[in-house]
Amino acid sequence: MSHLMLCSINVCTKVTNMLFMFILKMTIEIHIIAVFMTSLVIIFTTEASLWDEQRLIHDLFQNYSKFSRPVVNRNDQVVVTFRAKLKQIIDLKDNEQLLQVILYTYQEWTNPLLTWNASLYGGTEEINVDASMVWVPDIVLYNSAEFTFSGGTHKYKTDVVIYWNGSTIWLAPAMFITVCHLDVRYFPFDDQKCPMKFGSWTHDETRLDMRILTNASSDDIYTEHGEWQLLGLEQKR
Ligand SMILES: *[C@@H]1O[C@H](CO)[C@@H](O)[C@H](O)[C@H]1NC(C)=O
Ligand SMILES: *[C@@H]1O[C@H](CO)[C@@H](O)[C@H](O)[C@H]1NC(C)=O
Ligand SMILES: *[C@@H]1O[C@H](CO)[C@@H](O)[C@H](O)[C@H]1NC(C)=O
Ligand SMILES: *[C@@H]1O[C@H](CO)[C@@H](O)[C@H](O)[C@H]1NC(C)=O
């Protein structure tokens, strides 16, 4: 420490930088070792079940078509439970009347065409697959205000999780832009309501029954906006 006090500002900076570099390098090395060890552990512990999972996916998708609705009888409804939580308000422009938000969407349904007996596959009870491999509901934002109509399902880039009994869960974060008619007569004491309407684009109620999870509070994930305060979130059908 004493020789640091004697040196010029430039030299001191150099010393500090070097020290920093050194720490960085150490961290990287440790990180690499850690990664290496983790992969070893994974190989040793999950070798058998990886094979089971591959066999399961092979068997499950051999005769499966994602283009058919997940029902046993043609007249059955698919019940989709939908929920959207507000993660963040990115922008609310009063001159353009546009609201830009990040939502965490949750969709759940049962696919009776994708079920299996877990004990025949080494106890594999759930699998994660790319959403493009299975039927997914086409629930979109109707009042989307994007140039390309992209209130649609390709917004969701995440995998779906399928359970042995066909229960399927699709969780995805996505950004949406919607038209919100702001009433600024009482500015700045204005409360604004911005409805976002979600629904299936091609299926009517006889084919797809959309239910909502009520009481889905966003408090646990919501990030405050500097200008706008979230007064509440209503979900209704
Ligand atoms: C898929 O269909 C073929 C031909 O109908 C059949 O032989 C095979 O057993 C089926 N596979 C599964 C996993 O059901
Ligand atoms: C699942 O497979 C196990 C082992 O073959 C069998 O004992 C069990 O009855 C099967 N369960 C169902 C629901 O088919
Ligand atoms: C399917 O199984 C999962 C986990 O085993 C369970 O959480 C879920 O409630 C089941 N779904 C149905 C429709 O029974
Ligand atoms: C939703 O929350 C309110 C207040 O906490 C409660 O009175 C109501 O029963 C809840 N509804 C459901 C469907 O859980």
Side-chain angles (χ1 to χ4, degrees):
M1 226 33 207
S2 57
H3 71 273
L4 271 184
M5 288 198 292
L6 291 175
C7 63
S8 75
I9 288 171
N10 276 343
V11 176
C12 281
T13 319
K14 261 189 190 151
V15 169
T16 329
N17 279 346
M18 270 174 64
L19 191 63
F20 183 62
M21 292 272 292
F22 182 58
I23 291 172
L24 237 158
K25 193 155 174 277
M26 285 274 287
T27 326
I28 290 167
E29 270 168 16
I30 292 167
H31 188 69
I32 291 168
I33 294 168
V35 168
F36 184 60
M37 280 167 65
T38 331
S39 14
L40 273 183
V41 172
I42 289 173
I43 290 165
F44 280 125
T45 56
T46 63
E47 197 177 22
S49 96
L50 260 181
W51 163 241
D52 283 325
E53 204 173 307
Q54 274 169 18
R55 191 164 52 87
L56 167 62
I57 288 175
H58 173 266
D59 292 353
L60 207 53
F61 288 99
Q62 195 175 23
N63 295 334
Y64 174 73
S65 163
K66 65 171 179 176
F67 300 110
S68 49
R69 257 178 347 120
V71 289
V72 178
N73 301 308
R74 211 162 54 86
N75 292 330
D76 290 351
Q77 274 180 325
V78 186
V79 178
V80 179
T81 306
F82 182 85
R83 181 189 73 201
K85 282 190 173 194
L86 180 62
K87 168 64 184 156
Q88 198 178 346
I89 295 172
I90 299 175
D91 209 358
L92 178 53
K93 290 194 177 73
D94 41 346
N95 50 348
E96 291 163 39
Q97 313 256 307
L98 289 180
L99 171 70
Q100 190 178 7
V101 293
I102 292 177
L103 298 183
Y104 283 6
T105 61
Y106 168 98
Q107 299 184 76
E108 195 223 305
W109 64 95
T110 298
N111 190 331
L113 308 176
L114 292 175
T115 58
W116 66 91
N117 181 342
S119 50
L120 300 180
Y121 296 94
T124 307
E125 293 198 337
E126 62 184 82
I127 50 169
N128 287 36
V129 301
D130 194 282
S132 66
M133 286 172 68
V134 296
W135 178 93
V136 291
D138 59 347
I139 292 175
V140 300
L141 176 65
Y142 270 67
N143 51 350
S144 175
E146 286 177 67
F147 293 122
T148 54
F149 184 78
S150 53
T153 51
H154 60 273
K155 266 185 180 291
Y156 313 136
K157 310 286 184 206
T158 50
D159 280 2
V160 296
V161 183
I162 308 172
Y163 292 91
W164 60 275
N165 53 11
S167 264
T168 307
I169 291 179
W170 197 15
L171 283 163
M175 197 198 64
F176 293 93
I177 300 177
T178 185
V179 183
C180 183
H181 297 291
L182 300 181
D183 181 358
V184 288
R185 270 176 301 177
Y186 305 109
F187 179 84
F189 306 104
D190 47 343
D191 294 353
Q192 305 295 346
K193 275 193 174 175
C194 299
M196 296 180 76
K197 187 183 172 198
F198 286 92
S200 168
W201 191 243
T202 58
H203 301 295
D204 63 19
E205 288 132 73
T206 63
R207 285 149 58 87
L208 192 150
D209 181 14
M210 194 176 156
R211 310 237 170 115
I212 54 167
L213 271 181
T214 47
N215 281 11
S217 158
S218 293
D219 293 352
D220 51 338
I221 59 160
Y222 181 63
T223 312
E224 287 288 341
H225 185 264
E227 211 174 320
W228 294 93
Q229 189 192 354
L230 180 67
L231 292 180
L233 198 67
E234 262 174 52
Q235 307 202 52
K236 60 184 173 198
R237 221 163 84 125

